Amino acid sequence: MKNGRLVDAQDFRQTLIEGKRCRNGRCKQLTHGPQPVYLSLSGLRKESQMWRRVVSLSPLLSSSKSRRLNQVQVAYGFNASQVFSTQVLNPAEDGVSVARRKPFVTFVLGGPGSGKGTQCTRIVNTFGFTHLSVGDLLRKEIYSDSENGSMILDTIKEGKIVSSEVTVKLIKNAIEASENSRILVDGFPRSEENRIAYERVVGVEPDIVLFFDCTKEEMVKRVLNRNEGRIDDNIDTVKERLTVFSELNLPVIKHYSEKGKLHKIDGTGTEDEIFERVLPVFAALR
């Protein structure tokens, strides 16, 4: 606020250039200039993109300009690259907005026996992701004894597939409820319908998509050898599941490949060998 009014983006930029600082919302001058001002949050947000670029280019600035940027950061008591990071403001209980980092969402795809479940566990342990399984989310909702859970249970009992809308809302709620910004969604989307519903309901695409690519013969061998006691772990059922996967999932894989979001991982070899191929995808997150 400047003389009783909120400053706009131009005022805010001029305030920074003139080297002022604010403490407890009141601005004090470091050099001679206009009267003290209050900085509005909207003004800060408007300038966020500009200052991210300024910070990234700071090594290329002249020494005098670089010193002025450092002066601004010290004066305000912040690191510009941190203040203007990509964050979401959520309302707190007391009505004050608090910063929450934008979720980094990874979809993990692969046929039965591709090894994606094992690799998800290693990604979680190594990079600190929260693992979301659609099957687990559906079971949790059923056990919650809610009206939605009863509907899901009735749908499954009737041998029908739970609608994409319901599944996506469970994923969305789980992401929003998580205190972790790194989210791993295992085995989703299973079809183009799933993908479209996710992007419509959530409003964004995933950040990256992992696809564990494995030969049909290798996947059949792994499923038959894992001996988990599942009734669908027989050769005829496995082959049928692989056929369904190819028909429904491969169009999704093609879509994300065209978007430049797909990371295809060779799923053959030992668990360690496969994970070595996964590591470079998440190396920047360490």
Side-chain angles (χ1 to χ4, degrees):
M1 187 173 293
K2 189 172 183 178
N3 294 331
R5 66 180 178 81
L6 290 175
V7 299
D8 59 16
Q10 183 177 357
D11 290 334
F12 171 63
R13 179 164 51 247
Q14 187 63 30
T15 298
L16 291 180
I17 293 173
E18 289 165 356
K20 295 177 182 167
R21 62 181 173 184
C22 289
R23 288 181 180 171
N24 300 324
R26 192 175 296 278
C27 293
K28 296 182 180 180
Q29 292 176 270
L30 295 178
T31 61
H32 296 291
Q35 293 298 313
V37 300
Y38 289 96
L39 298 180
S40 70
L41 182 58
S42 61
L44 286 170
R45 282 198 293 262
K46 289 177 182 177
E47 294 300 309
S48 64
Q49 186 174 9
M50 179 193 77
W51 280 101
R52 279 201 300 271
R53 295 187 65 186
V54 171
V55 172
S56 66
L57 295 174
S58 60
L60 304 179
L61 298 175
S62 66
S63 58
S64 61
K65 291 181 180 177
S66 181
R67 282 197 300 273
R68 177 54 56 86
L69 177 60
N70 290 335
Q71 182 188 36
V72 168
Q73 295 187 86
V74 172
Y76 281 86
F78 60 62
N79 182 306
S81 62
Q82 294 175 340
V83 171
F84 299 120
S85 62
T86 304
Q87 295 183 323
V88 179
L89 293 176
N90 286 347
E93 292 182 1
D94 59 2
V96 178
S97 294
V98 293
R100 180 179 184 273
R101 190 178 297 276
K102 177 181 176 295
F104 183 92
V105 178
T106 300
F107 286 167
V108 183
L109 305 176
S114 63
K116 64 181 176 61
T118 300
Q119 296 303 318
C120 279
T121 300
R122 299 189 70 158
I123 293 169
V124 167
N125 293 337
T126 304
F127 298 101
F129 276 76
T130 290
H131 182 207
L132 299 182
S133 164
V134 172
D136 290 344
L137 292 175
L138 290 172
R139 282 187 287 273
K140 182 179 178 181
E141 190 66 19
I142 290 172
Y143 294 146
S144 71
D145 225 11
S146 66
E147 183 178 340
N148 199 36
S150 299
M151 179 273 293
I152 293 172
L153 180 59
D154 291 340
T155 301
I156 294 174
K157 282 181 177 179
E158 293 171 6
K160 299 178 182 177
I161 297 174
V162 178
S163 73
S164 296
E165 193 87 5
V166 170
T167 302
V168 168
K169 285 181 179 178
L170 291 178
I171 295 173
K172 180 176 183 287
N173 292 341
I175 292 174
E176 292 176 347
S178 176
E179 295 181 357
N180 191 355
S181 62
R182 298 179 179 184
I183 306 294
L184 205 64
V185 185
D186 183 1
F188 183 90
R190 296 178 181 271
S191 65
E192 277 286 271
E193 182 189 358
N194 280 175
R195 178 189 67 77
I196 293 169
Y198 179 88
E199 293 173 9
R200 182 180 69 252
V201 173
V202 179
V204 295
E205 295 182 340
D207 293 275
I208 60 175
V209 179
L210 291 185
F211 169 48
F212 288 93
D213 190 22
C214 203
T215 65
K216 183 177 180 179
E217 293 74 23
E218 180 64 20
M219 286 191 284
V220 170
K221 183 175 72 174
R222 287 177 180 174
V223 172
L224 295 179
N225 289 340
R226 66 189 178 187
N227 192 27
E228 293 180 349
R230 289 173 50 167
I231 59 174
D232 56 353
D233 280 0
N234 62 75
I235 190 165
D236 291 333
T237 306
V238 172
K239 287 182 177 180
E240 177 62 24
R241 287 166 62 197
L242 287 171
T243 299
V244 172
F245 172 79
S246 297
E247 291 175 352
L248 297 181
N249 223 224
L250 292 185
V252 176
I253 293 166
K254 180 182 178 182
H255 171 83
Y256 286 125
S257 177
E258 292 172 349
K259 286 276 189 174
K261 293 179 176 287
L262 188 76
H263 295 266
K264 184 182 288 188
I265 308 295
D266 180 1
T268 59
T270 66
E271 291 180 12
D272 289 340
E273 289 171 341
I274 298 171
F275 192 60
E276 284 296 318
R277 300 168 194 145
V278 173
L279 287 174
V281 177
F282 299 102
L285 298 179
R286 280 187 163 178

